[in-house]
Amino acid sequence: MSPARRRVSSGVPFEQAVGYSRAVAAGDFIFVSGCTSIADGKVVHEGDMTRQAGQALLNVGAALEQLGATLADVVRTRIYVTDISRWAEVGEAHRLAFADAPPATTMVQVAALIDPRMLVEIEAVAHREGGPGEDEAEPDESEVPPDAIRLDEPSADDSI
């Protein structure tokens, strides 16, 4: 294992059975494996997609905390649901968790998750300047190349 990488486990049996870490810090990034509605080793909030999404996000947050980060550091999530017609239920939990700093995200429907009681799984990528555990500096706008396309400003170029 590279000394620049740190791995954490949540202790759920799937990690050992499948051979993965709950989260891996590599450089300035933390990659959190898909989290579901598990608490104390048991599936919780059966049938309630909003509460399952909330629990999954709590589990993402717990993994990040072990590596010195928080949900505020998340820049990307991927959401897997077993019934896309219920997207708004998951969306509400995601919106509340990331109200101050919404990450890029994707939500897709899957045929099933590893346990039929699980309705949603959420994975995340977080970024911390200088690596996990160090204070994140605000980006210096002067470092933006002059020819960079700014998404927060209208473009004068109609070809974009």
Side-chain angles (χ1 to χ4, degrees):
M1 175 169 60
S2 166
R5 291 192 183 135
R6 294 187 311 168
R7 292 172 168 76
V8 298
S9 171
S10 65
V12 298
F14 302 121
E15 291 171 12
Q16 187 173 7
V18 177
Y20 69 94
S21 297
R22 172 59 46 212
V24 177
D28 292 348
F29 291 93
I30 301 171
F31 301 90
V32 181
S33 296
C35 292
T36 58
S37 187
I38 291 187
D40 300 320
K42 298 177 182 140
V43 175
V44 294
H45 312 303
E46 192 169 341
D48 187 329
M49 193 171 268
T50 303
R51 291 183 71 198
Q52 282 201 13
Q55 182 65 52
L57 289 163
L58 286 172
N59 295 343
V60 168
L64 290 169
E65 284 180 22
Q66 290 183 68
L67 292 166
T70 69
L71 289 177
D73 298 308
V74 172
V75 295
R76 173 88 166 108
T77 59
R78 289 178 185 87
I79 305 168
Y80 306 96
V81 297
T82 56
D83 182 354
I84 199 70
S85 73
R86 296 176 68 185
W87 67 269
E89 296 171 59
V90 176
E92 176 68 6
H94 191 272
R95 182 186 64 76
L96 291 172
F98 296 107
D100 295 331
T105 194
T106 299
M107 184 185 306
V108 296
Q109 179 171 308
V110 295
L113 295 172
I114 201 161
D115 183 304
R117 297 172 295 171
M118 295 175 181
L119 306 175
V120 60
E121 183 168 330
I122 302 173
E123 62 182 52
V125 177
H127 180 261
R128 296 277 295 171
E129 282 292 320
E134 297 182 24
D135 290 331
E136 184 172 355
E138 289 296 317
D140 182 355
E141 296 255 349
S142 66
E143 295 177 14
V144 176
D147 60 342
I149 296 172
R150 297 277 313 231
L151 298 178
D152 59 345
E153 296 175 2
S155 173
D157 184 352
D158 292 332
S159 67
I160 298 178

